[in-house]
Amino acid sequence: MTDYTKLIDAETWAFIEKTNSYYPPDTIDYTIEQQRGVYNRMCREFFAGYPEGVSAETTTIATPDHSIPIRIYRQADAEPQALVLYFHGGGFILGGLDSHDDVCAELCGRTGYEVVSVDYRLAPEHRHPAAFDDAMAAFGWAASRYQVPILLVGDSAGGNLAAAVAHTTRAHPRRAVGQLLIYPGLGGDQSKGSYVTHAEAPMLTMRDLIFYKNVRTGGEGRMVDPTIAPMLDRDFSKLPPTVVITAECDPLSSDGEAYRDRILAAGGKAFWREEAGLVHGYLRARHTVTRARESFSRIVEAVWRLGRSEWPH
């Protein structure tokens, strides 16, 4: 068993304990409706507000059979040089425009880029490929509406969606100029690496991951599909420049390393950084935990540089 008392510092433990006070480790045993209520309340408790000068407009993207809610963040008196298409985390069953509202506002405020947060459909009401289809629709909408470079950014489940869109749209005339994935689940080998050493990590366990996958797919063993698990794609060439940021104390961390290696082997540009002592979901700790604050600054800088077609590392 991994000794987290040595890996995780006091600030991060305080964040974990505060999170657990709103969102207990056994929350996956609740009903989906209860889980969403608990998660939304937790997100409200961590809400940090908007930076000065950032405003948001909530609207929708029309598709043939439904509308996708989005929230567009803009910085006053700024001509955005790039567009960030943001996909939120939440295991494909939780979250929405409000859960990552302040994160998106801060990305906008600190990069000057326009940010579009996508409220994709959630399971179990809408199983795979509903979320992926909505992410693709959002990309198509952005590509037809904006002339500036498009960046794909997401955390956790949203990182999975961002990568799936990057793989699917790599031949598109407006393909993304970069993707930044924050502690994503990409469908790596669960028999080794962090899946084993951090199977019982604070904030996210293997039991959680299995639960989320089963809800997303309806329990079907569809992990041969790269739109579910981008690591299963047979072709890693011609992907946009990729930055993956993971947390050390997270079963998903090895996916970042493996994904980077596959892209590099195919001749692409990719960088992976594992943030020491941090846990899944640490974006919410960016104002209270030094390590998380420093990591978020690295994320912001990488997004800014990717949007300018500069390689961050």
Side-chain angles (χ1 to χ4, degrees):
M1 294 294 289
T2 303
D3 184 359
Y4 291 109
T5 61
K6 295 180 179 178
L7 291 177
I8 298 175
D9 65 14
E11 283 185 329
T12 308
W13 275 120
F15 164 69
I16 293 168
E17 290 165 4
K18 180 178 178 181
T19 301
N20 289 343
S21 72
Y22 298 110
Y23 191 86
D26 64 349
T27 299
I28 62 167
D29 295 324
Y30 300 4
T31 68
I32 299 295
E33 184 178 0
Q34 289 171 333
Q35 289 184 49
R36 288 173 180 164
V38 169
Y39 182 80
N40 291 340
R41 184 183 64 163
M42 177 196 67
C43 292
R44 287 194 297 271
E45 292 295 332
F46 281 99
F47 181 73
Y50 283 21
E52 186 175 352
V54 172
S55 62
E57 172 196 359
T58 302
T59 182
T60 60
I61 297 171
T63 77
D65 56 4
H66 68 287
S67 294
I68 305 167
I70 59 171
R71 187 166 291 160
I72 305 171
Y73 300 81
R74 301 182 179 96
Q75 190 174 39
D77 304 321
E79 190 67 34
Q81 301 302 303
L83 173 76
V84 174
L85 205 55
Y86 193 93
F87 304 104
H88 68 82
F92 303 99
I93 67 171
L94 308 170
L97 297 181
D98 292 338
S99 63
H100 290 64
D101 191 29
D102 51 351
V103 171
C104 292
E106 287 176 42
L107 273 177
C108 172
R110 292 177 62 171
T111 63
Y113 299 161
E114 202 157 305
V115 177
V116 175
S117 178
V118 182
D119 192 8
Y120 55 85
R121 287 171 292 172
L122 301 176
E125 296 90 342
H126 305 282
R127 293 172 178 158
H128 183 77
F132 169 72
D133 288 347
D134 286 356
M136 284 293 296
F139 175 84
W141 172 87
S144 65
R145 179 184 175 98
Y146 290 86
Q147 297 305 310
V148 295
I150 298 170
L151 283 163
L152 300 169
V153 181
D155 70 285
S156 195
N160 171 289
L161 291 173
V165 170
H167 283 242
T168 307
T169 61
R170 74 184 97 189
H172 194 285
R174 295 293 318 285
R175 78 175 197 135
V177 297
Q179 61 170 337
L180 187 139
L181 315 177
I182 306 162
Y183 38 76
L186 300 173
D189 185 347
Q190 297 186 1
S191 69
K192 61 183 182 181
S194 59
Y195 282 106
V196 176
T197 55
H198 295 291
E200 299 296 329
M203 304 287 284
L204 187 71
T205 66
M206 278 302 301
R207 181 170 175 256
D208 296 326
L209 292 176
I210 293 168
F211 172 82
Y212 294 136
K213 180 181 90 68
N214 287 338
V215 174
R216 183 188 188 192
T217 64
E220 299 175 21
R222 298 167 64 183
M223 291 302 282
V224 296
D225 181 352
T227 65
I228 291 180
M231 281 294 296
L232 297 182
D233 200 343
R234 296 180 179 180
D235 182 7
F236 283 76
S237 67
K238 300 180 181 177
L239 289 171
T242 298
V243 174
V244 190
I245 307 292
T246 63
E248 179 184 14
C249 306
D250 180 347
L252 295 175
S253 188
S254 291
D255 276 12
E257 180 180 23
Y259 190 61
R260 174 204 63 186
D261 291 348
R262 294 290 292 276
I263 295 173
L264 291 177
K269 282 187 176 182
F271 173 84
W272 166 65
R273 180 186 177 97
E274 181 181 73
E275 298 288 17
L278 286 177
V279 292
H280 196 84
Y282 73 77
L283 280 184
R284 283 186 293 275
R286 67 195 180 282
H287 293 296
T288 58
V289 174
T290 301
R291 290 173 173 177
R293 181 182 299 110
E294 292 171 349
S295 178
F296 189 64
S297 290
R298 283 188 280 271
I299 288 167
V300 168
E301 182 178 5
V303 169
W304 183 75
R305 290 189 179 278
L306 287 170
R308 293 165 58 91
S309 295
E310 297 177 7
W311 183 232
H313 300 279

